Amino acid sequence: MNLQPRERAILEQARELGFVSVEGIAQEYEVTLQTARRDLGRLAEAGWLERVRGGAIPLGESESSEYIRRKQSGRASKRAIARAVAEQIPDNASLFINIGTTNEAVAEALVSHQGLQVVTNNIHVAAILSSRSNARVVIAGGEVRSEDGGVVGEATRDFIDQFRLDYAVLGISAVDADGVLLEHDYREARVAQGLIRNARCRMLVAEGVKFERTAMTRVASLADMSVVVSDRPMPAGLAQFDQLRWITATDSAG
């Protein structure tokens, strides 16, 4: 993306101040609010900024490029999974949503739901739902990972343990051949375990590629899940979990 002079100036201001507002841009550059929103939208789409209520916050260059790469990868599958998850969650439900770009797609799919109460350790999920829906959003405290906006650590895990919610929407790094759920970051694994422990219905969201990957930290087992939502049918090697409810989402929108 080739930045226009005003967009470049807005990006520099966001990096310097940590936040830019739609109204501030409109006043400083003497443009309409619609133009200011369009500028922020272009910068967010390119991965330089993250839209939040009333404006945007900066993403670092190296972090944003990797984050955007993962967010753009398999977009159709992520959207299909997200729609299928949203169909399972009623209005007025309470739920956890953890880290991952598929979970951010889930947040997008939940925007039109009414009366949700959401606890999350994902700042992108919090930004989506707090700015575009009437959901009550609670974000966990802890260390923010610059690469993906995930909040992790002992404080995060302790915070999660204060709640008992209807659903946990759980993203994961990998699923081993024996059905063990795996993460790369042990701190994230501990938080995920708290989500599983404190939710009545535990929904794993996993693109098919997650069943081809591996990671080193054990989180739980497929046996601990209530539902799996994936873009692929259950792999043949996981036949021992055939009693598990498995939803295969398809991209009907193309």
Side-chain angles (χ1 to χ4, degrees), residues 25-181:
I25 292 169
Q27 292 174 4
E28 181 166 351
Y29 299 101
E30 298 181 345
V31 297
T32 65
L33 294 174
Q34 183 179 7
T35 297
R37 292 189 186 97
R38 186 169 61 246
D39 287 346
L40 292 182
R42 277 172 49 84
L43 289 167
E45 185 176 353
W48 297 108
L49 298 178
E50 172 74 16
R51 289 300 305 272
V52 297
R53 184 186 294 272
I57 57 176
L59 290 170
E61 181 173 357
S62 60
E63 293 91 349
S64 66
S65 60
E66 172 61 18
Y67 168 74
I68 292 298
R69 183 194 67 77
R70 288 190 290 108
K71 190 164 185 172
Q72 298 295 336
S73 175
R75 290 181 65 185
S77 294
K78 288 181 171 72
R79 287 195 300 264
I81 291 169
R83 286 194 299 269
V85 170
E87 290 173 0
Q88 303 301 311
I89 296 175
D91 290 343
N92 304 309
S94 61
L95 63 152
F96 295 111
I97 305 179
N98 77 334
I99 302 169
T101 55
T102 303
N103 278 353
E104 291 164 28
V106 170
E108 296 274 2
L110 290 171
V111 163
S112 62
H113 278 48
Q114 300 298 309
L116 295 181
Q117 298 182 77
V118 180
V119 178
T120 185
N121 64 325
N122 184 329
I123 64 173
H124 303 299
V125 165
I128 291 165
L129 289 172
S130 64
S131 63
R132 294 167 50 197
S133 78
N134 70 353
R136 179 188 177 194
V137 180
V138 180
I139 190 163
E143 178 184 350
V144 180
R145 295 194 311 203
S146 60
E147 64 266 27
D148 61 4
V151 184
V152 294
E154 291 301 309
T156 315
R157 184 175 62 86
D158 291 344
F159 183 84
I160 293 298
D161 279 339
Q162 297 180 67
F163 297 90
R164 178 69 171 168
L165 303 185
D166 298 327
Y167 297 89
V169 180
L170 180 73
I172 203 73
S173 292
V175 182
D176 216 352
D178 59 358
V180 173
L181 312 184

